[in-house]
Amino acid sequence: MKQSFTILLFILLLTNCKKQPEIGLITEKAIVVSARKEASKIGADILKKGGNAFDAMVATELALAVAFPYAGNIGGGGFMVYRKNNGEIGALDYREKAPLAATKDMYLDSLGNVIPDKSTLGAMAVGIPGTVAGVFATHQKFGTLPMKEIIQPVIDLAKKGVVVTQKQEKRLIKHTPGFRKANSKKILLDNNWKKGDTIKYISLAETLTRIQQNGRDEFYKGETAKTLAKFMQENGGIITEEDLATYEAKWRTPIVFTYDDLKIISMSPPSSGGICLAQIMNAIEPYDLAAYGHNSTKSIQVITEAERRAYADRSHFLGDPDFVNIPKETLISKTYSSSRMESFSFDKATSSNTISHGSITFSESNETTHYSIVDQFGNAVSVTTTINAAFGSKLYCSELGFFLNNEMDDFSSKPGTPNMFGLVGAEANKIEPKKRMLSSMTPTIIEKNGNLFMVVGTPGGSTIITSVLQTILNVHEYNMGMQEAVNQPRFHHQWLPDDIKMEPNGFSENIKNELKALGYILDETNSPVIGKVDAILVLPDGRLEAGADHRGDDTAVGF
Ligand code: GLY
């Protein structure tokens, strides 16, 4: 009797000690969740003033350029997927473009080899920035508050300054050598910033003030354009005033597909995000992931094999739709995905060599940034924006106050040779003047039973698609809340290299041993972090729950 009481007590203690899942910010009406509290707050304040999700998009995007120069930008580009409260959906492409003087072989030496750093560091790596065109296009179509009113708090933040966090200090130290290599003149880092310091962005405040006064054309045709073109040429780049003057953001039709009772709306080319996500989700839909268990060997196997096949297709078929014909309907059809899975068996890992060939080194990175917004009217926007690598090309225009992207590296410099994400490209993504480079950004919105259900996205280069996928599955298959779904350890496979990246300490030894026995190669060293997901879930009672990723300084603000 005494013994069974002790056992019962032990079980009760164990049950009580089991960590309760974390719940994210819950609000009645609206949430903005982004990589920095300052940006989320500026976006949420715009909503409080009566602005809608599109006004908040403009404010949050520009505020990230101030608060998160690591990836937030006006020297880069991005993608937005939206769903209005009446169910209307759409997408905006404000991706960078190759300059007019760009050529297919611009990153190759006379022997046809890729010249190290040329597509990643300094002025030659820069694509024509699209962010300012993107925010003005959004505002022109859907904005309700005056642009001047939306931009003012961002200018105020730039003047007041932003406090350096622990993570930011680390990033600044890590990238100092790159800054010094890329910049001929003053760099953002001249002051050796430490945690707790406040960085003021006075030149950026001046640039934003001119944009506030003169509108979109200030960046593309005005004084800012002239300064930028001159700066690019002084630093050995090829972007001209004509490149800037002819840049346009483009409205696109999003990729739409179903998974069980979910309708998934995601980004179309020139991002590979929506098509790849559709291929993976179509391939895994017939399998009973819920029964296999979360992050179990069988679930990891099915997801990995679907990812392997989708990424092999990505490399071959996808590029800028204004330049290449993409067999979109076939790629996102359920019959195509199930035919791709015919060669899969639970008994043994498929070798990527049997899907294609090659063995390629991979360096993980976690740049880019994502924010999700739901407003008090029920409109939703999902935006992923980037300067590509951490601090982009590391080239900082001190006169204008921002970093320039290194998005040209997202082209395939040489078909068959991997870019900085280890992604292997083909002819479809070769460099051509005025072409947009292929992306992995996957801003996504999900409907359930015809209603808004989730807004989700993440940075993470090639791992973006698979991080978005796992977050959706965590909610849909494993009944997790939004923050709980974001917190889970993640893994990633991208066809080449043929290994599963895993976040360290996130997976049991037992599962890792089982996967190895089946022939999978595991890599826990290159990816301390996979994705930084910022998402919003509509709860059954209509309230909203945010998932703000603790892998970064990400924060949700709402009301
Ligand atoms: N620059 C990362 C991406 O567009 O996927």
Side-chain angles (χ1 to χ4, degrees):
M1 181 71 189
K2 192 171 170 221
Q3 197 188 11
S4 50
F5 177 75
T6 315
I7 292 171
L8 186 66
L9 195 69
F10 183 67
I11 291 172
L12 275 174
L13 271 174
L14 264 187
T15 322
N16 284 337
C17 285
K18 194 168 168 264
K19 231 175 128 200
Q20 290 300 309
E22 187 188 3
I23 297 171
L25 173 74
I26 294 191
T27 70
E28 298 289 330
K29 294 181 177 162
I31 290 183
V32 179
V33 54
S34 81
R36 284 288 300 222
K37 186 174 173 186
E38 293 84 348
S40 300
K41 181 167 181 334
I42 283 180
D45 284 349
I46 288 293
L47 297 180
K48 267 195 200 143
K49 278 177 108 174
N52 64 18
F54 301 97
D55 296 318
M57 177 272 183
V58 175
T60 310
E61 177 90 27
L62 295 178
L64 283 167
V66 178
F68 196 56
Y70 175 74
N73 67 83
I74 57 171
F79 296 104
M80 170 177 76
V81 169
Y82 68 84
R83 181 187 183 276
K84 289 173 64 180
N85 54 8
N86 62 4
E88 183 189 320
I89 58 169
L92 180 66
D93 160 5
Y94 54 100
R95 181 72 161 164
E96 299 91 328
K97 293 176 78 164
L100 286 160
T103 59
K104 179 171 171 283
D105 297 336
M106 62 191 278
Y107 299 116
L108 304 185
D109 64 17
S110 56
L111 299 174
N113 297 318
V114 175
I115 303 167
D117 287 350
K118 198 171 177 188
S119 67
T120 53
L121 198 71
M124 279 301 286
V126 183
I128 307 163
T131 296
V132 173
V135 296
F136 275 90
T138 302
H139 187 260
Q140 191 184 22
K141 193 159 177 169
F142 297 119
T144 55
L145 295 182
M147 198 62 160
K148 282 195 165 55
E149 216 174 294
I150 299 174
I151 300 181
Q152 191 55 48
V154 182
I155 296 171
D156 295 343
L157 177 69
K159 286 183 182 161
K160 180 169 146 252
V162 182
V163 176
V164 175
T165 65
Q166 178 80 60
K167 291 188 173 99
Q168 196 178 6
E169 179 191 317
K170 271 193 174 162
R171 286 194 290 259
L172 287 168
I173 291 169
K174 180 173 167 200
H175 294 290
T176 301
F179 294 141
R180 300 218 184 285
K181 232 169 148 181
N183 288 271
S184 52
K185 292 193 188 148
K186 193 176 179 320
I187 59 169
L188 180 69
L189 245 228
D190 280 346
N191 285 18
N192 200 15
W193 302 106
K194 291 264 172 302
K195 180 186 167 197
D197 290 347
T198 298
I199 308 184
K200 294 186 182 183
Y201 298 90
I202 302 304
S203 314
L204 183 54
E206 284 163 6
T207 302
L208 290 169
T209 305
R210 285 195 307 278
I211 292 171
Q212 185 191 40
Q213 284 162 357
N214 305 327
R216 174 203 184 279
D217 280 355
E218 168 60 31
F219 190 88
Y220 292 100
K221 295 178 182 164
E223 184 190 326
T224 304
K226 289 183 179 40
T227 307
L228 182 55
K230 188 165 164 276
F231 174 77
M232 295 307 299
Q233 277 141 43
E234 279 169 6
N235 281 276
I238 54 173
I239 289 183
T240 61
E241 285 186 41
E242 189 185 352
D243 282 317
L244 292 165
T246 51
Y247 181 87
E248 293 285 347
K250 279 198 145 179
W251 293 98
R252 305 269 186 198
T253 305
I255 297 292
V256 180
F257 61 97
T258 59
Y259 180 88
D260 296 344
D261 59 349
L262 304 180
K263 176 174 157 189
I264 311 217
I265 305 147
S266 192
M267 193 62 218
S268 41
S271 182
S272 61
I275 288 185
C276 256
L277 185 65
Q279 286 187 261
I280 298 167
M281 294 194 83
N282 284 337
I284 63 181
E285 193 179 29
Y287 298 87
D288 195 351
L289 293 186
Y292 302 157
H294 178 250
N295 279 354
S296 64
T297 302
K298 279 182 103 171
S299 291
I300 294 173
Q301 267 190 285
V302 170
I303 294 168
T304 294
E305 296 300 344
E307 289 174 354
R308 184 197 307 282
R309 288 155 176 81
Y311 274 80
D313 282 349
R314 175 196 194 276
S315 295
H316 188 73
F317 292 110
L318 303 188
D320 182 345
D322 297 340
F323 284 71
V324 291
N325 283 326
I326 298 171
K328 186 195 93 180
E329 296 306 334
T330 305
L331 288 172
I332 67 168
S333 74
K334 295 199 188 283
T335 41
Y336 176 73
S337 287
S338 63
S339 73
R340 295 282 282 159
M341 287 297 272
E342 273 166 14
S343 55
F344 163 61
S345 151
F346 276 111
D347 299 337
K348 191 170 174 289
T350 310
S351 163
S352 286
N353 287 327
T354 64
I355 301 220
S356 187
H357 57 271
S359 163
I360 286 122
T361 53
F362 179 91
S363 65
E364 183 47 49
S365 66
N366 211 25
E367 294 77 26
T368 302
T369 191
H370 176 86
Y371 54 94
S372 296
I373 302 176
V374 175
D375 71 18
Q376 63 276 32
F377 311 111
N379 302 302
V381 302
S382 183
V383 182
T384 314
T385 179
T386 190
I387 42 178
N388 197 19
F391 303 101
S393 61
K394 317 283 188 283
L395 186 66
Y396 178 70
C397 180
S398 52
E399 217 175 323
L400 298 175
F402 58 87
F403 284 94
L404 276 309
N405 68 81
N406 65 348
E407 219 69 65
M408 291 296 286
D409 187 62
D410 273 349
F411 280 115
S412 43
S413 294
K414 179 179 175 182
T417 302
N419 72 356
M420 66 177 221
F421 299 110
L423 289 168
V424 184
E427 284 293 303
N429 190 32
K430 72 178 179 208
I431 304 171
E432 295 177 72
K434 297 170 82 171
K435 189 178 181 182
R436 288 161 148 95
M437 54 296 281
L438 187 62
S439 170
S440 298
M441 291 191 273
T442 314
T444 299
I445 295 179
I446 300 171
E447 279 180 17
K448 192 171 182 169
N449 303 324
N451 297 315
L452 178 66
F453 181 57
M454 196 192 298
V455 186
V456 58
T458 179
S462 52
T463 69
I464 288 176
I465 301 161
T466 56
S467 298
V468 167
L469 166 80
Q470 287 167 82
T471 310
I472 298 170
L473 295 177
N474 289 347
V475 172
H476 176 74
E477 297 282 2
Y478 305 110
N479 297 317
M480 294 183 196
M482 195 72 263
Q483 186 65 51
E484 187 186 4
V486 166
N487 290 352
Q488 299 309 307
R490 301 188 193 113
F491 62 92
H492 169 78
H493 194 289
Q494 60 175 43
W495 173 52
L496 292 173
D498 189 355
D499 58 21
I500 306 177
K501 309 275 172 227
M502 291 179 144
E503 286 183 315
N505 310 317
F507 298 84
S508 74
E509 287 307 313
N510 189 23
I511 285 181
K512 286 188 280 186
N513 288 335
E514 282 180 9
L515 288 167
K516 282 186 212 161
L518 288 161
Y520 292 94
I521 298 162
L522 309 184
D523 176 3
E524 285 185 294
T525 56
N526 277 322
S527 309
V529 157
I530 295 180
K532 274 202 293 139
V533 177
D534 284 340
I536 303 170
L537 183 67
V538 182
L539 300 174
D541 63 4
R543 290 180 305 157
L544 307 171
E545 185 195 352
D549 207 322
H550 304 315
R551 293 163 177 87
D553 295 318
D554 303 45
T555 309
V557 178
F559 54 91

